Amino acid sequence: MTKDKGILIKNIYYMLSYAFSALRESAYEDIQKENFENIHNLFAAILSRGIGLQLKRGLYREYIERTEDLSVVRGKINIPGTLRRRAEQKLYVTCEHDELSENNLFNQILKSTVSLLLRESDVEEKYKKELKREMLYLASVDTISLVNVKWNHIRFQRNNRSYRMLLAVCQLLAEGVLLTTEAGDFRLASYIDEQPMNRLYEKFILEYYAREYARHIAGFSAEPARIYWQLDDGYAELLPVMKTDITLTYGNKVLIIDAKYYKRTLQKNFDVHSIHSANLYQIFTYVKNKDTELGNIPHEVAGMLLYAKTEEELYPDNSYRMSGNRISVKTLDLNREFAEIRRQLDNIACGYFGIDPGQQR
């Protein structure tokens, strides 16, 4: 089993399966049994299964505004266009109308991502064959430049929510694109970019605790939580919103986890390594405001910076007492078999909350 920037390729699949429940459907079961040599084969396998499922359900369609010259009126008449046609002595009416079409952003992203994978030399032929077959059903869909996609503007609703996981995979691939030729052709990078991977890492940890603990242990909760500034005068204008990546709560204990996926875990200044100061200030601020918010109710609040372990020789594994609260800085090794990753995450929750290992399952 190979790795990609310190992560076993198969573990990216497991992380996705926690982050997106769609990957737990039976159609994806075979993927768990495969050993992938590179990240492109993994994503090609996921997309080929996922697009196949989507084709069975039906491609998402939405109304697209069209303007065309017709012999009969359809929709709204475009007066300037119609007058031009009459001036040209053409007996057409220029009409504007809405048409339900598969040629929308969701399907354009799928087709454009598959086009990148089909050009990638290290994608196995069996996956390319499946993807080419499925692309026949997207013949009416345009390809677009994925570089220009505003991913954070995409909105899902009932009719297209089945695309959520597929587009997340497309984004991971698209944001790892590298410009490799003077002609401006794009080629997939051999790694996943830091920013989208950080989002996946954060969502994976949150959903792991939600699925493995909150569902099985009464009173246990795992959620991103809003923390309010504890102000002396109540004046909060211009203060930023505080929202945690992961807040675990059980009994009278709260553990706030800030998940970080960086190429370099520690900052370096004059050959001296230290924890990223902004990260430490942030988790300390979360903890102290949450601690004050709970007031006189018996409670305990702790914080943790949980970094994805890199290939650096030095990595943090420390715990500090700061103004009455425990702040830990730990690393999660993703370059292990998934059973070991589970053990690491279980040790965090069970160790802090005093839960008997295995109680959550």
Side-chain angles (χ1 to χ4, degrees):
M1 193 181 296
T2 55
K3 65 180 181 178
D4 199 78
K5 290 186 69 62
I7 305 178
L8 290 179
I9 297 297
K10 183 60 72 66
N11 285 340
I12 296 177
Y13 168 77
Y14 287 125
M15 292 168 71
L16 283 165
S17 70
Y18 272 94
F20 301 98
S21 59
L23 264 179
R24 296 195 286 275
E25 294 183 35
S26 59
Y28 297 97
E29 286 178 354
D30 290 344
I31 295 178
Q32 299 182 42
K33 303 171 186 176
E34 295 189 45
N35 288 322
F36 295 95
E37 291 299 320
N38 59 69
I39 194 70
H40 302 147
N41 276 330
L42 170 63
F43 285 160
I46 292 173
L47 286 178
S48 66
R49 305 292 198 286
I51 293 172
L53 278 176
Q54 194 60 53
L55 288 171
K56 290 178 182 178
R57 295 177 178 133
L59 290 173
Y60 171 62
R61 297 189 298 166
E62 63 184 17
Y63 283 102
I64 306 295
E65 186 177 287
R66 294 192 60 182
T67 301
E68 56 184 340
D69 297 328
L70 302 172
S71 57
V72 295
V73 175
R74 182 181 178 188
K76 184 174 67 175
I77 296 175
N78 181 297
I79 300 298
T82 301
L83 292 176
R84 282 195 299 270
R85 296 296 169 265
R86 292 299 169 91
E88 297 169 359
Q89 297 186 343
K90 294 180 179 179
L91 299 178
Y92 290 111
V93 179
T94 302
C95 299
E96 297 175 354
H97 62 92
D98 292 334
E99 183 176 83
L100 201 56
S101 172
E102 296 170 349
N103 190 21
N104 54 65
L105 181 61
F106 290 80
N107 294 318
Q108 289 167 357
I109 289 173
L110 287 183
K111 186 171 182 177
S112 302
T113 304
V114 169
S115 297
L116 284 175
L117 283 170
L118 291 176
R119 299 207 307 266
E120 191 60 33
S121 60
D122 61 5
V123 174
E124 292 182 24
E125 195 58 37
K126 64 178 180 179
Y127 301 125
K128 287 186 176 181
K129 186 177 179 180
E130 292 174 6
L131 290 169
K132 286 176 182 176
R133 183 171 62 248
E134 289 158 354
M135 286 304 99
L136 295 174
Y137 296 93
L138 276 75
S140 63
V141 176
D142 297 332
T143 55
I144 59 174
S145 171
L146 294 172
V147 175
N148 298 323
V149 174
K150 293 180 173 59
W151 300 96
N152 60 334
H153 290 178
I154 295 175
R155 295 292 177 264
F156 296 95
Q157 33 89 358
R158 183 173 58 84
N159 292 333
N160 59 30
R161 62 188 176 193
S162 58
Y163 279 71
R164 189 183 296 272
M165 183 273 295
L166 293 175
L167 294 199
V169 170
C170 291
Q171 183 180 4
L172 284 170
L173 282 166
E175 294 189 350
V177 162
L178 288 180
L179 185 62
T180 57
T181 68
E182 292 181 1
D185 295 330
F186 285 95
R187 178 180 175 81
L188 289 176
S190 60
Y191 62 89
I192 300 176
D193 194 45
E194 185 176 288
Q195 187 175 1
M197 193 61 200
N198 185 77
R199 290 192 293 269
L200 175 60
Y201 177 63
E202 172 191 325
K203 189 168 175 60
F204 156 62
I205 295 171
L206 172 63
E207 294 301 326
Y208 179 84
Y209 286 123
R211 181 177 165 191
E212 303 295 345
Y213 284 78
R215 287 188 185 180
H216 304 289
I217 300 177
F220 192 103
S221 68
E223 59 187 359
R226 172 84 179 267
I227 296 178
Y228 295 91
W229 293 95
Q230 300 304 300
L231 305 168
D232 294 334
D233 58 5
Y235 182 74
E237 188 173 350
L238 301 182
L239 288 178
V241 172
M242 290 190 290
K243 189 173 183 180
T244 67
D245 292 345
I246 303 126
T247 296
L248 306 181
T249 306
Y250 184 54
N252 65 348
K253 290 186 174 183
V254 177
L255 177 61
I256 300 171
I257 299 176
D258 215 8
K260 302 293 183 184
Y261 181 94
Y262 290 160
K263 293 174 184 176
R264 303 221 173 266
T265 304
L266 299 172
Q267 61 185 10
K268 185 177 179 181
N269 188 28
F270 297 109
D271 293 326
V272 177
H273 291 85
S274 62
I275 299 162
H276 288 276
S277 53
N279 297 163
L280 196 57
Y281 300 154
Q282 183 181 42
I283 194 69
F284 181 76
T285 302
Y286 285 172
V287 167
K288 295 310 295 182
N289 277 273
K290 185 64 179 179
D291 195 18
T292 304
E293 178 186 321
L294 293 174
N296 296 324
I297 302 170
H299 67 273
E300 180 183 327
V301 180
M304 177 180 291
L305 292 173
L306 186 54
Y307 291 95
K309 188 177 179 183
T310 66
E311 296 178 357
E312 298 170 289
E313 292 184 9
L314 185 63
Y315 55 90
D317 184 16
N318 305 83
S319 186
Y320 310 92
R321 294 293 299 184
M322 297 183 180
S323 302
N325 299 90
R326 188 171 78 184
I327 306 290
S328 302
V329 185
K330 303 289 184 181
T331 54
L332 182 65
D333 191 352
L334 300 172
N335 192 23
R336 301 286 189 94
E337 293 295 330
F338 194 71
E340 173 60 19
I341 295 175
R342 293 180 69 113
R343 189 191 67 79
Q344 295 174 69
L345 291 172
D346 290 344
N347 284 346
I348 290 171
C350 294
Y352 180 69
F353 293 106
I355 297 171
D356 181 26
Q359 179 182 340
Q360 77 279 17
R361 298 184 186 93

